[in-house]
Amino acid sequence: MTDRHDDYSLTPVPAAERRSWPSVAVQRFGQVSSFQQFIVGAILGYGMTFWNAVLAITIGSVLLEVITVLLGIAGVREGLSTSVLARWAGFGRKGSALVGLLVAISLAGWFGVQNGIFAHGMHALGGAVPEWAWAVLGGVVITAITVYGFRIMAWTAYLTVPAFLLLAGYSIVDALGSHSLPALVSGPPPGPPLSLGAGTTLVAGAFILGALMTPDMTRFNRTPGDVVKQTLISVTLGEYLIGLIGVLLAHATASSDIVGIITSSSGVLGTLVLATAILKINDWNLYSSSLGLVNVVDVLFGRKVARVHVVLVLGVLGTAASAFGIADDFAGFLTAVGVLTPPVAGVLIAEYFVVRRCRPVFDALREHGSAPGAHRDWMPSALVSWALGTAFAVFFDFGIPAINSVVVAFVSYLAASRLFPARRRTKEGTGMLPLIGREELKREMDEGTVIVVDTMPVTYYEREHLPGARNIPGFPYEQAAEFTDAHAPSVLPDPSAAVVVYCANTPCRNSEFVGARLLELGYTDVRKYREGIEDWVAAGYATESGPQTTAQPAPVSGNRTE
């Protein structure tokens, strides 16, 4: 069961497992047309005129759609979840673990909070059953659905989305039946005025975490066109249909308490609206949280844990928190943590669509179909951009903070990529290669994301070399550049590939000269295994022998002996 329902938590979703766009779109609509949108609409309606609320929803929705579409396209192209995508799209291996941890904490927390709201509403309807029992029931149902993954979640959405719309529509008609629609549209707001900027911020902030998690869902789409269609339909209808109904309800009842409005006016029906609204969104909270945590464990502990097991653990913790009534205590903390979310989207979009250093890696991933590791553990430019975006949102209170932080992170990352290119060369051309350790090299070799180049003379290479290594001789030193110029086009046809050079041991300088020349030739990702093959053998790792078979370098004249 664990493998069958793993849902490709660390690997690309293959073409055979992609779904028709309606099956994904109905889940996206279920996310956007949530009870939270009712709440946002009611707050807007309580402090704004109807048409100002329309304008706020329009501005917020358009900005969200741009972010959602771009991230969604990255998801469908690569078939990867948000946190795994972040490994190569800017953040590095351990940086992606930070992203995954943020996602896991935020969404697991909101799973508990929303499960508590469900329990509270159901207890209010049937007081004989204690609230904690409803929390346990709701948590168990959502956890069971999420365990089975995308396929069952799609069928859940097919049932709950129409039920939610029918129940909500009937409930709204009942609540608004005694009011004049023209009067509600033209009337003043019943509560303290809310500015357009504050209203737009509310709209954008309510779904920014959902926008960031878009690749978790769109990796099951088939084409970028499907992503655009489902985003335009779901975000537009979800924001406008549900949000504007909330605006009208606030005008009609002179209250922003949408839960109280619906449950009190429609009784059983209103409570069922609340239940279906939470059911159709909370499985995705738990699902995306589990994907983020699977990536965290894989990166930090080198272990692949089953997504099913992670769902069960998170489901139990979230259910327990809501059953004991402590989930709501975390709402403020989760809101505060939410300020860290938007800049992540800015970095991902900047790297994937503009800087594009990640593209060769993703191209190789699509071609070979295996999950690669990161080129680096940390990418300082991404972390700094993330911090700047967050700080801007916190300390500069103008415009739309969530969108501002996305833009600042986006611009900061672009600037960093121009000021600090991937590799810097010294005047002499040596002594500048970044280093890689034995264990990190082995991991990347196992994952197939690095090309290893042995820089020993041919006779030494044929006697013994690292598994899969290619050969570019780097001795004698005065001929290293000549050898590299002749061999590199056939041995390393892709200048953007991740390359690690090595020779015999730490004193050996073959790899330094070959690596330096590769940088001068335009190779952008070259590192050095300084300790060399002696260190590899001492660790007990396997080696190979024999002539080079992965590529046939051009013949080069010169002395090849040490």
Side-chain angles (χ1 to χ4, degrees), residues 240-271:
Y240 281 97
L241 180 64
I242 306 301
L244 291 181
I245 288 174
V247 171
L248 293 175
L249 286 172
H251 278 232
T253 61
S255 171
S256 61
D257 181 13
I258 194 68
V259 176
I261 293 170
I262 292 184
T263 56
S264 63
S265 65
S266 303
V268 174
L269 184 60
T271 305

Side-chain angles (χ1 to χ4, degrees), residues 233-398:
I233 293 173
S234 61
V235 174
T236 302
L237 288 181
E239 294 285 351
Y240 281 97
L241 180 64
I242 306 301
L244 291 181
I245 288 174
V247 171
L248 293 175
L249 286 172
H251 278 232
T253 61
S255 171
S256 61
D257 181 13
I258 194 68
V259 176
I261 293 170
I262 292 184
T263 56
S264 63
S265 65
S266 303
V268 174
L269 184 60
T271 305
L272 291 176
V273 172
L274 177 67
T276 55
I278 293 173
L279 179 64
K280 69 189 180 63
I281 180 74
N282 224 13
D283 55 352
W284 271 99
N285 285 336
L286 189 56
Y287 184 82
S288 288
S289 177
S290 69
L291 293 178
L293 195 55
V294 166
N295 182 56
V296 171
V297 174
D298 179 64
V299 169
L300 299 185
F301 303 101
R303 295 186 57 188
K304 186 182 185 305
V305 294
R307 185 194 65 85
V308 169
H309 296 159
V310 175
V311 168
L312 290 172
V313 171
L314 293 176
V316 168
L317 293 176
T319 300
S322 57
F324 285 107
I326 63 174
D328 288 344
D329 296 337
F330 294 103
F333 167 74
L334 295 172
T335 301
V337 169
V339 76
L340 296 170
T341 300
V344 174
V347 172
L348 291 175
I349 292 170
E351 169 59 40
Y352 191 84
F353 290 98
V354 183
V355 177
R356 297 165 62 94
R357 288 175 184 160
C358 61
R359 286 304 181 87
V361 182
F362 287 131
D363 290 342
L365 177 60
R366 285 195 297 271
E367 179 180 351
H368 299 295
S370 60
H375 284 265
R376 296 289 182 272
D377 278 345
W378 300 102
M379 297 297 287
S381 57
L383 298 178
V384 171
S385 300
W386 190 359
L388 288 175
T390 301
F392 199 89
V394 171
F395 296 110
F396 294 90
D397 188 18
F398 67 88

Side-chain angles (χ1 to χ4, degrees), residues 150-162:
F150 187 89
R151 185 187 301 271
I152 300 302
M153 291 164 66
W155 281 107
T156 302
Y158 282 132
L159 296 173
T160 56
V161 169

